[in-house]
Amino acid sequence: MWKGSCKRLIPDTKLVDSIKLISLKNALDYDNVIKFDVVLSKTFSYSKKTSCNIKDFIPQIRDIISELSKLSLDEKKNLYDDLYNHGNHYLGNRESGSLIRTVSGENKNVESGTNNTSNFELPPLDGAIYGKVVTRFPPEPNGYPHIGHAKAVIIDNEYSKKYGGSLILRFDDTNPSKEKMEYYEAISEGLDWLNIKPTVTKNTSDDMEFLYDYARKLVQKNRAYVCVCPPDVIKTNRSNGISCSCTTNTVDYNLEKLENMIQGKYQQNECILRYRGDMKNLNTAMRDPTLYRIVKDSHPLLLNKYSLWPTYDFAAPVEDSMDGVTHAFRTKEYELRNELYYAILSDLELNKPQLIEFSRLEFQGIPVSKRKITPLIETGIIKRWDDPRLPTLMGLKRRGIMPEAIRKFVLSLSITLSETKPSMEILESFNRKILDPTSIRLFFVKDPIEVHIDKLETDSV
Ligand SMILES: [Zn+2]
């Protein structure tokens, strides 16, 4: 166990172990980085249980963080495990609600403090009321589902089951140039195979008229405007934090332009609807992002009925809110867009779901995303999307992976933000545990030779 010099300085050793656990948890959740502010604020809340005045020990807390920061990620995981189970600390379930994978690849349920590879549980959800939790899985039907989709939908499904709530499967189909019917079907088949039955299945495109109404409302409130600048100018202005002259147009002008856009009177790239954010905001997601753009391609379900399509930035918050979603999970790369998500809902006076991030799932040495797999297919290195070497659901199925193994594997990773890249062997080890008890073992001898043994003494056997 790690021992820092500061342990002698803070009189309460239980508090020292608590600070170490808080720091390690912070590193495991956030890219192996320990944030002093986070550790300090959490330590304050625990110090109420002690007679220590934390302000007197800030230098020692910094020392603890500094020492722990020198450890590798695996060393941090082991130390967290060790301290949690054997240390003397104040932490209850709240800080320990994640499942930590040890270096050996075995999984340990830290919450219960016991090794248990069959009953993984996700940490409790803040603000969850039994019977009222609504989660959603919003895949874009622009490719075949893979293990990353499985992780997302399993988390959504497990939470809705845990709280007796519902799960919405919502095809986020607002980019006709990339979406195809075969992908809607492949995603539905993938969920069937995973034995996940959504309470409701719908498409974002079902709600186009509602979404147009919310766009009108934003323009009426002067929170959105039509921009006619060329794409390269918009890009340059956004990176330089400069507003264009379109921002000065009146609400009436913008409303009229928006109606013309809805009616399909403009060509692709001729104009877009932008959110009125803040072009100087350090968070570039807030620099007047696009809410609607013109796409003239035929939609797989609606054909050419619409040509003005909402972006994910606009459709996701509005749809989540309209669908009554209480807890919306999405991968960590959307973290910077949370501010925009809530700003749009505030402007539209809509209910705000709770956003929860989790790390994207990648395998060591195996491409997971469509972006990485597509070139392998296009160049003929891999012929089909169900190739058993690929982590697509069809590929995993052909590889002999059981859906229950995927579920256990995903739950073992929990919903931490740390970027772990587990190896395929871990998924396979879950699979073996499921298959082992029911598998028939057969042996064969290649090219057998018949052997006759005469006069063998019975006691020589
Ligand atoms: Zn403009």
Side-chain angles (χ1 to χ4, degrees), residues 225-229 234 244-247 274:
Y225 62 92
V226 175
C227 174
V228 295
C229 298
I234 292 173
C244 64
S245 60
C246 311
T247 56
R274 298 177 73 177

Side-chain angles (χ1 to χ4, degrees), residues 24-64:
L24 291 164
K25 178 73 165 54
N26 188 237
L28 297 177
D29 282 355
Y30 293 94
D31 289 329
N32 203 13
V33 175
I34 304 174
K35 293 177 182 166
F36 172 75
D37 293 348
V38 175
V39 174
L40 190 64
S41 72
K42 292 199 169 181
T43 303
F44 265 120
S45 68
Y46 285 102
S47 68
K48 289 171 193 157
K49 298 175 182 174
T50 76
S51 55
C52 290
N53 183 352
I54 288 303
K55 285 183 185 164
D56 296 339
F57 299 112
I58 284 178
Q60 285 77 59
I61 295 173
R62 285 195 190 279
D63 282 349
I64 290 176

Side-chain angles (χ1 to χ4, degrees), residues 152-316:
V153 74
I154 286 169
I155 289 172
D156 294 328
N157 188 48
E158 290 294 320
Y159 273 121
S160 76
K161 281 197 304 183
K162 183 183 174 99
Y163 291 101
S166 45
L167 165 68
I168 298 168
L169 164 61
R170 188 179 72 224
F171 288 104
D172 192 30
D173 55 348
T174 60
N175 188 358
S177 58
K178 299 214 171 134
E179 293 148 8
K180 289 183 186 169
M181 272 317 294
E182 66 180 285
Y183 300 139
Y184 289 81
E185 285 157 14
I187 291 166
S188 289
E189 282 168 16
L191 263 56
D192 266 355
W193 180 62
L194 290 170
N195 202 23
I196 290 175
K197 316 269 180 244
T199 322
V200 175
T201 297
K202 61 170 290 195
N203 310 304
T204 299
S205 64
D206 299 342
D207 295 330
M208 287 295 280
E209 297 299 332
F210 293 111
L211 290 163
Y212 283 155
D213 280 344
Y214 282 115
R216 292 182 182 104
K217 189 172 177 184
L218 268 190
V219 173
Q220 276 158 359
K221 294 182 86 173
N222 206 17
R223 298 302 305 145
Y225 62 92
V226 175
C227 174
V228 295
C229 298
D232 55 331
V233 172
I234 292 173
K235 193 175 172 193
T236 309
N237 282 349
R238 289 189 83 228
S239 61
N240 294 330
I242 298 167
S243 295
C244 64
S245 60
C246 311
T247 56
T248 58
N249 290 326
T250 64
V251 167
D252 285 343
Y253 170 89
N254 285 319
L255 274 176
E256 189 187 333
K257 276 270 189 189
L258 175 61
E259 290 307 325
N260 288 339
M261 288 166 83
I262 292 171
Q263 287 164 26
K265 292 186 180 171
Y266 300 110
Q267 294 308 307
Q268 207 149 303
N269 290 334
E270 204 175 330
C271 50
I272 55 173
L273 184 72
R274 298 177 73 177
Y275 182 68
R276 197 180 292 279
D278 172 8
M279 293 300 278
K280 298 283 182 208
N281 198 317
L282 290 178
N283 179 359
T284 51
M286 293 302 291
R287 295 186 184 177
D288 293 16
T290 307
L291 302 180
Y292 272 91
R293 75 277 194 234
I294 296 163
V295 184
K296 294 281 185 183
D297 294 316
S298 176
H299 187 272
L301 298 173
L302 300 169
L303 306 178
N304 295 309
K305 186 174 179 185
Y306 300 107
S307 60
L308 182 66
W309 294 93
T311 57
Y312 172 84
D313 279 338
F314 183 69

Side-chain angles (χ1 to χ4, degrees), residues 362-373:
E362 289 185 51
F363 279 118
Q364 274 172 27
I366 299 176
V368 170
S369 67
K370 185 169 71 80
R371 184 174 53 82
K372 289 180 184 166
I373 297 174

